[in-house]
């Protein structure tokens, strides 16, 4: 029963997307809590039919998927369910009304700014609380680190690394992404003193 409910929840969460807990919208967090509560009942009480746990989970996930789809089509519904971002700092000045509305203290705000590597409030152009409860910060351009474009330095763009061998196993999808084959991989392994991929813990290439 436990394994069936476990895999049911895992599959259900996959349908809901890949958000981390800290990035969930309020409705998604509520669904997650409800799913865990619903699943725990038939898991502990074996006198209850297993469907008493599986069916409510499927219903909850289906409701979340439907609401998410409707939210994409109707911005008014999205604002009603998820709310909207609220600006709490503008041009280095804290909006006290916004802080009170969000029930966020000065200490909490300064802590969130420090976690964004911002230690001087005056350098903040805009800071707003997003609908998932996280703080986004835009620093004044005069205080931002210069980019290669700002100082006129040309850089070479590079593709991200792809994991070719992971713990002795070939990741064939990554080979296809970099347009290589296993013959090429064998030549690379041989050049580095490995007879086959099982001797390699990690190999990456771009």
């Amino acid at each position: 029963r436990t394994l069936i409910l476990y895999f049911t929840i895992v599959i259900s969460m996959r349908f809901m997307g890949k958000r981390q807990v800290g990035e969930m919208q309020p409705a998604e967090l509520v669904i997650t809590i409800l799913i865990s509560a619903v699943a725990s009942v038939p898991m502990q009480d074996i006198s209850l039919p297993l469907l008493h746990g599986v069916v409510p989970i499927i219903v909850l996930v289906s409701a979340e998927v439907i609401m998410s789809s409707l939210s994409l089509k109707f911005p008014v519904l999205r604002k009603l369910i998820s709310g909207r971002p609220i600006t709490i700092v503008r041009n280095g000045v804290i909006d006290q009304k916004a802080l009170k509305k969000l029930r966020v203290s000065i200490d909490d705000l300064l802590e969130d700014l420090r976690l964004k590597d911002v230690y001087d409030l005056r350098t903040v152009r805009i800071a707003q609380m997003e609908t998932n409860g996280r703080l986004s910060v835009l620093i004044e351009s005069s205080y931002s680190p210069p980019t290669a474009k700002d100082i006129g330095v040309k850089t070479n763009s590079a593709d991200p690394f792809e994991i070719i061998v992971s713990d002795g196993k070939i990741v064939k999808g990554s080979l296809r992404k970099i347009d290589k084959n296993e013959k090429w991989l064998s030549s690379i392994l041989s050049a580095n003193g490995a007879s086959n991929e099982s001797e390699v813990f990690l190999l990456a290439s771009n």
Side-chain angles (χ1 to χ4, degrees):
R1 294 168 71 93
T2 302
L3 288 175
I4 290 174
L5 287 168
Y6 167 75
F7 285 113
T8 301
I9 294 173
V10 169
I11 294 171
S12 299
M13 298 304 290
R14 286 284 288 112
F15 276 107
M16 288 177 59
K18 294 186 176 182
R19 293 182 189 267
Q20 297 178 7
V21 174
E23 298 174 348
M24 286 184 173
Q25 299 294 339
E28 295 170 332
L29 182 59
V30 169
I31 292 293
T32 303
I33 294 172
L34 286 175
I35 287 176
S36 62
V38 167
S40 65
V41 176
M43 194 181 297
Q44 298 174 20
D45 189 353
I46 61 174
S47 64
L48 289 175
L50 193 57
L51 287 177
H52 283 201
V54 174
V55 173
I57 291 174
I58 295 174
V59 171
L60 287 170
V61 173
S62 300
E64 167 58 24
V65 171
I66 292 172
M67 289 300 293
S68 298
S69 300
L70 291 175
S71 296
L72 291 174
K73 291 185 178 181
F74 304 104
V76 175
L77 180 61
R78 182 166 63 248
K79 291 178 182 178
L80 179 64
I81 295 175
S82 302
R84 63 179 65 188
I86 297 178
T87 300
I88 54 180
V89 179
R90 186 180 295 275
N91 297 326
V93 179
I94 298 174
D95 188 333
Q96 297 182 41
K97 291 183 179 179
L99 279 185
K100 290 180 179 179
K101 182 179 180 180
L102 293 169
R103 295 185 294 278
V104 174
S105 68
I106 294 291
D107 292 336
D108 291 335
L109 172 60
L110 295 178
E111 179 183 350
D112 285 342
L113 289 173
R114 288 195 297 271
L115 291 173
K116 298 286 186 180
D117 295 328
V118 178
Y119 289 85
D120 190 341
L121 190 64
R122 295 170 296 181
T123 65
V124 178
R125 183 176 180 184
I126 292 177
Q128 61 183 22
M129 191 67 70
E130 304 295 344
T131 56
N132 59 11
R134 302 184 70 180
L135 187 71
S136 58
V137 181
L138 176 63
I139 301 297
E140 288 285 357
S141 58
S142 57
Y143 293 99
S144 300
T147 63
K149 183 179 180 181
D150 293 333
I151 59 178
V153 175
K154 292 184 177 181
T155 59
N156 295 322
S157 299
D159 294 328
F161 279 94
E162 296 289 344
I163 304 300
I164 307 300
V165 178
S166 175
D167 200 13
K169 302 288 194 310
I170 299 175
V171 183
K172 295 183 178 180
S174 297
L175 274 178
R176 289 193 293 270
K177 283 184 180 180
I178 63 173
D179 197 24
K180 302 294 183 181
N181 52 35
E182 293 189 25
K183 184 177 180 180
W184 169 86
L185 176 59
S186 296
S187 64
I188 296 296
L189 294 177
S190 298
N192 287 274
S195 58
N196 55 62
E197 66 275 3
S198 63
E199 299 177 4
V200 179
F201 177 68
L202 178 67
L203 173 63
S205 176
N206 59 351

